[in-house]
Amino acid sequence: MKVAISGASGKTGFRVSEEALSAGYDIRLLLREESEIPQNLKSAEKAIISLSNDNTLDQALENCQVLIIATGARPSIDLTGPLRIDALGVKKQIESCKRVGVKRVILVSSLCSGQLFHPLNLFGLILIWKRIGEQSLESSGLDWTVIRPGGLNEREDLTNEKIVYSGADRQKDAYIPRRLVAKCCVEAIKTQNSIGQIIEITSNQNQNLISMKEAIEGFKIKND
């Protein structure tokens, strides 16, 4: 199975790439022309893309079965970034998947996606545009999963750190290491019941160890 990762040079994206490679997947890194990646990913297959160029996206996704979207606007004085990347850029990638036949898409979004009154929205209404990106995926007809992580940190020591899973709009302000987000994205590939789910994730040391599959089964029981 070939897994494409967009945003593969980003702080979350390169970790997703590492985790997918470690799990035995054949990976293709979707990168911008000027992107830099860690040395251990230099030998991975790469494709240069532009989110505004449909041809580069289509070519990059050829012969892939899964796309993990780890692109995301960063806080910046350019307040158009969230619109261009988190809404229109996600939509462009989804449309490309449909054209070339990629059926499985996993999107890294954000906790509080869609909330209007949130400090992050000072950066170009980022949470509003993220929700619009999610909705594009939800209505695509593809086999989709949305991963909504909490506040991201760079910690690599995951000793005793366990994931807190929930359904949509249940968690608000906890944190999670990017490495655990990456592991969740890869776990979603093989977790059949993650299809059609928005999964919120944070972490702490007091949480019981649970698989994504078990967590989602718990969501469904609560919803019933």
Side-chain angles (χ1 to χ4, degrees), residues 49-129:
I49 65 167
S50 167
L51 294 180
S52 61
N53 186 321
D54 291 348
N55 288 333
T56 65
L57 285 170
D58 290 358
Q59 291 169 12
L61 290 172
E62 284 288 348
N63 302 314
C64 293
Q65 288 73 51
V66 179
L67 170 63
I68 300 177
I69 301 177
T71 51
R74 299 172 182 173
S76 166
I77 59 172
D78 177 10
L79 299 183
T80 68
L83 165 62
R84 290 186 291 102
I85 298 170
D86 294 301
L88 299 180
V90 168
K91 187 172 187 292
K92 286 277 191 178
Q93 292 177 76
I94 293 164
E95 290 171 345
S96 182
C97 286
K98 293 167 75 172
R99 285 194 297 270
V100 303
V102 177
K103 300 296 186 186
R104 183 77 171 103
V105 180
I106 297 160
L107 170 65
V108 181
S109 183
S110 174
L111 219 63
C112 301
S113 177
Q115 291 188 19
L116 178 59
F117 299 107
H118 193 284
L120 281 177
N121 283 328
L122 295 173
F123 300 101
L125 295 176
I126 190 168
L127 294 176
I128 302 301
W129 295 121

Side-chain angles (χ1 to χ4, degrees), residues 5 27 32 48 50 66 81 83 89 140 149 172 177 185-187 193 214 222:
I5 301 113
I27 66 172
R32 295 173 298 173
I48 302 301
S50 167
V66 179
L83 165 62
S140 67
K172 293 186 181 300
C185 289
V186 175
E187 187 176 0
N193 67 349
E214 292 169 324
K222 288 180 181 178

Side-chain angles (χ1 to χ4, degrees), residues 188-200:
I189 298 173
K190 60 185 179 183
T191 304
Q192 186 68 20
N193 67 349
S194 72
I195 294 173
Q197 295 290 324
I198 295 175
I199 304 169
E200 296 187 342

Side-chain angles (χ1 to χ4, degrees), residues 131-182:
R131 180 61 189 140
I132 290 172
E134 290 179 0
Q135 289 172 329
S136 294
L137 183 55
E138 291 167 35
S139 63
S140 67
L142 302 174
D143 291 340
W144 61 270
T145 302
V146 172
I147 305 289
R148 288 182 178 174
L152 298 166
N153 62 56
E154 313 301 316
R155 287 198 355 261
E156 291 290 335
D157 179 8
L158 304 181
T159 306
N160 297 323
E161 198 76 11
K162 300 177 183 68
I163 298 170
V164 179
Y165 293 97
S166 74
D169 304 321
R170 298 295 179 88
Q171 301 190 61
K172 293 186 181 300
D173 55 8
Y175 290 81
I176 186 168
R178 292 180 190 272
R179 180 64 63 183
L180 281 182
V181 178

